[in-house]
């Protein structure tokens, strides 16, 4: 039984939304960030990089306080305006490849996260949870929704489709040629129908935003303990999410690159692989695996297909059947000596269009000794991992859509 409620979003005005919206600031290179700060006074990046105004790098509480000040200035200047009544926000993204994503921006319950109604499939790092919790407590808002996914629902789909028949409140295209649309859903009957449908959904899943979800839960507990009149209905008991039906979620693979063969010769490495995989040399063929438990390997100028010998590997739970876990348990840890896949500097990750070409280029350059290509994980695998209370290895999924900051803001 999921609690998904409307809220009064703070939003940029229609004429400025395309200028305000930004990617997560960590995703910008230094030249990109500087250019946007220099030439776009409306960018949300000015809020999250308040030190730009003083040509100074800021950290911790000093930065958090100035983030809040910049945010309040955007409201005072009329760049941001808050809706008067609680609404759902129907949000659609059409990316450069023509993929479409239509979902609902809403407030979701931290208690649902605590009670495992909202399930996770990744581990979080405790110190990062607390850093972001302290940030949220100081600034008092969240500007980027967590991406959640739910089972396809005909009633919700019909409401979304009907809402999208009228002109969108927002429509803008990014430099990456992704087009974003937003509709404000304030019809009380439709709102109640959506709330009811989510109440009948037993479980929803975090697709992207595990740390933000965990931090929001920690914040709710902290503010609850400080409020003697706590009722459970306060905004801090919720966090902003973009809820997308499972059929529209797009999951890409994360491939692996390793800097060396752990002291092994090419021949010795292949012999060790042969105990677990059926190996075929594909030469210059850009071999892309298409089935679970099939892998691509690029080594010394040649591609190889690796097919898992299932008689030598036992699937004891959904995690053990996951290709990223199989690669770790059969190659990365026992042969290449990589035990800590989160922090080992010999291991790198790669994703994106034509990624096998990227792997080939990086290995041919000598930067890496070997690369591995995988097939994307399926939504049912993600759900099985979450349902068992297990967690995937780091960088198991690259999930679309990727959301922008500053389009809807949730205050608490």
């Amino acid at each position: 039984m999921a609690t998904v409620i409307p809220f009064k979003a703070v939003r940029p005005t229609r004429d400025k939304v395309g200028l305000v919206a930004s990617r997560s600031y960590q995703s910008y290179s230094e030249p990109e960030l500087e250019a946007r700060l220099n030439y776009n006074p409306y960018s949300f990046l000015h809020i999250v990089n308040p030190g730009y105004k003083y040509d100074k790098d800021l950290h911790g509480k000093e930065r958090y306080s100035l983030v809040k000040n910049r945010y309040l200035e955007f409201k005072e200047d009329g760049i941001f305006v808050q809706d008067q009544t609680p609404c759902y926000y129907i949000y659609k993204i059409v990316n450069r490849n023509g993929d479409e994503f239509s979902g609902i921006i809403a407030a979701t319950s931290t208690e649902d996260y605590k009670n495992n109604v909202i399930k996770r499939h990744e581990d979080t790092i405790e110190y990062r949870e607390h850093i972001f919790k302290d940030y949220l407590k100081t600034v008092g808002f969240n500007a980027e929704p967590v991406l959640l996914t739910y089972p396809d629902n005909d009633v919700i789909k019909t409401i979304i489709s009907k809402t999208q028949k009228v002109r969108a409140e927002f429509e803008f295209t990014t430099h990456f040629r992704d087009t974003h649309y937003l509709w404000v859903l304030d019809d009380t009957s439709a709102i109640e129908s959506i709330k009811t449908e989510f109440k009948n959904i037993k479980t929803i899943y975090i697709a992207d935003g595990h740390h933000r979800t965990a931090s929001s839960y920690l914040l709710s507990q902290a503010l609850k303990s400080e409020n003697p009149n706590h009722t459970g209905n306060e905004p801090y008991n919720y966090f902003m999410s973009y809820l997308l039906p499972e059929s529209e979620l797009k999951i890409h693979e994360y491939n692996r690159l390793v800097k060396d063969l752990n002291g092994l010769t090419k021949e010795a490495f292949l012999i060790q692989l042969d105990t677990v995989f059926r190996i075929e040399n594909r030469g210059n063929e850009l071999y892309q695996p298409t089935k679970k438990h099939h892998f691509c390997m690029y080594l010394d100028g040649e591609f190889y297909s690796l097919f898992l010998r299932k008689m030598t590997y036992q699937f004891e739970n959904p995690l053990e059947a996951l290709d990223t876990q199989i690669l770790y348990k059969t190659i990365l840890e026992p042969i290449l000596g990589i035990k800590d896949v989160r922090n080992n500097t010999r291991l790198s990750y790669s994703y994106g269009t034509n990624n096998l070409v990227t792997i080939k280029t990086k290995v041919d350059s000598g930067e890496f000794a070997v690369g591995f290509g995988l097939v994307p994980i399926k939504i049912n695998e993600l759900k099985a991992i979450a349902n068992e209370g297990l967690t995937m290895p780091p960088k198991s999924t690259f999930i679309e859509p990727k959301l922008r900051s500053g389009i809807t803001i949730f205050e608490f």
Side-chain angles (χ1 to χ4, degrees):
M1 180 174 171
T3 302
V4 178
I5 64 172
F7 69 102
K8 299 177 184 179
V10 176
R11 301 185 283 114
T13 55
R14 186 202 295 261
D15 61 315
K16 294 185 176 65
V17 62
L19 295 169
V20 170
S22 75
R23 306 195 311 268
S24 172
Y25 80 91
Q26 297 99 329
S27 70
Y28 291 94
S29 66
E30 292 253 347
E32 280 183 303
L33 188 61
E34 185 174 353
R36 280 159 175 76
L37 291 170
N38 283 341
Y39 300 112
N40 180 4
Y42 300 109
S43 173
F44 191 78
L45 293 168
H46 283 281
I47 293 176
V48 293
N49 293 270
Y52 169 80
K53 184 174 181 179
Y54 304 105
D55 194 25
K56 180 182 178 183
D57 288 331
L58 300 174
H59 304 281
K61 291 184 178 180
E62 183 181 31
R63 173 177 169 258
Y64 305 162
S65 295
L66 288 182
V67 166
K68 184 173 183 178
N69 289 348
R70 293 293 89 76
Y71 172 65
L72 293 175
E73 288 168 7
F74 269 49
K75 291 182 73 176
E76 291 163 3
D77 292 342
I79 300 168
F80 285 141
V81 179
Q82 186 166 27
D83 288 318
Q84 296 301 304
T85 59
C87 305
Y88 287 124
Y89 301 91
I90 307 303
Y91 201 78
K92 176 180 176 181
I93 302 172
V94 182
N95 70 17
R96 74 191 84 172
N97 300 317
D99 300 315
E100 294 190 9
F101 310 94
S102 288
I104 301 173
I105 296 176
T108 44
S109 168
T110 58
E111 283 296 302
D112 282 354
Y113 177 69
K114 173 186 175 182
N115 296 328
N116 216 27
V117 173
I118 297 174
K119 291 188 176 181
R120 66 180 191 172
H121 65 267
E122 287 184 4
D123 275 332
T124 52
I125 301 171
E126 187 175 2
Y127 83 87
R128 285 183 60 191
E129 294 176 13
H130 285 276
I131 286 173
F132 194 61
K133 182 263 289 181
D134 293 340
Y135 169 83
L136 292 174
K137 188 175 183 181
T138 301
V139 302
F141 68 85
N142 184 261
E144 182 182 340
V146 169
L147 180 59
L148 302 178
T149 189
Y150 63 91
D152 285 49
N153 179 288
D154 288 339
V155 173
I156 296 175
K157 182 179 180 179
T158 298
I159 294 173
I160 289 175
S161 297
K162 182 179 178 181
T163 304
Q164 291 176 339
K165 292 184 183 300
V166 302
R167 181 190 180 192
E169 175 70 13
F170 292 160
E171 178 181 347
F172 67 95
T173 301
T174 71
H175 291 89
F176 288 143
R177 293 176 291 154
D178 300 335
T179 303
H180 296 243
Y181 306 82
L182 179 140
W183 292 263
V184 179
L185 180 59
D186 56 5
D187 178 79
T188 54
S189 176
I191 285 174
E192 289 304 314
S193 293
I194 290 174
K195 288 171 69 174
T196 299
E197 290 304 311
F198 276 113
K199 283 181 181 177
N200 292 327
I201 293 175
K202 182 180 178 182
T203 307
I204 54 182
Y205 298 85
I206 302 173
D208 191 20
H210 285 77
H211 281 93
R212 280 173 284 143
T213 305
S215 298
S216 295
Y217 170 70
L218 290 176
L219 176 68
S220 71
Q221 298 306 294
L223 294 180
K224 174 182 176 180
S225 67
E226 296 171 10
N227 182 3
N229 300 314
H230 173 84
T231 65
N233 296 319
E234 297 84 358
Y236 60 71
N237 295 292
Y238 298 88
F239 59 99
M240 184 170 63
S241 297
Y242 179 45
L243 296 112
L244 195 71
E246 291 174 3
S247 63
E248 295 196 24
L249 200 69
K250 197 167 185 65
I251 305 177
H252 303 272
E253 71 276 15
Y254 253 115
N255 295 323
R256 272 73 170 139
L257 289 150
V258 183
K259 288 186 178 294
D260 59 72
L261 297 182
N262 198 29
L264 297 171
T265 64
K266 171 185 171 181
E267 291 72 21
F269 178 59
L270 289 171
I271 288 171
Q272 291 203 35
L273 288 181
D274 194 83
T275 62
V276 187
F277 295 94
R278 178 180 173 182
I279 304 172
E280 183 177 343
N281 188 323
R282 303 275 181 157
N284 292 323
E285 175 191 349
L286 282 171
Y287 170 69
Q288 178 70 58
T290 58
K291 295 181 180 180
K292 280 176 60 65
H293 315 326
H294 289 188
F295 303 85
C296 161
M297 181 176 71
Y298 185 71
L299 173 69
D300 193 27
E302 296 178 307
F303 285 94
Y304 295 80
S305 59
L306 307 180
F307 298 167
L308 181 69
R309 298 184 189 277
K310 295 179 182 178
M311 296 296 293
T312 67
Y313 189 91
Q314 300 300 313
F315 302 143
E316 297 180 358
N317 56 50
L319 177 61
E320 294 301 321
L322 204 66
D323 282 349
T324 50
Q325 182 73 357
I326 290 170
L327 190 69
Y328 170 65
K329 297 297 288 186
T330 60
I331 301 177
L332 297 183
E333 182 184 36
I335 300 176
L336 296 178
I338 297 173
K339 300 187 187 307
D340 183 357
V341 290
R342 189 179 296 277
N343 299 307
N344 194 303
T345 57
R346 295 169 53 223
L347 176 65
S348 186
Y349 300 91
S350 181
Y351 67 88
T353 306
N354 298 323
N355 198 243
L356 292 182
V357 175
T358 302
I359 288 176
K360 181 180 186 303
T361 300
K362 290 189 173 185
V363 172
D364 288 346
S365 73
E367 183 182 0
F368 294 93
V370 62
F372 300 96
L374 297 83
V375 298
I377 287 168
K378 303 295 186 185
I379 183 64
N380 287 339
E381 294 179 272
L382 183 153
K383 290 169 62 177
I385 294 286
N387 290 339
E388 291 282 338
L390 303 169
T391 54
M392 295 182 183
K395 306 292 186 185
S396 287
T397 58
F398 179 80
I399 295 180
E400 288 188 288
K402 294 299 180 187
L403 306 176
R404 296 265 160 164
S405 296
I407 299 172
T408 56
I409 295 173
F410 177 71
E411 292 186 341
F412 37 80

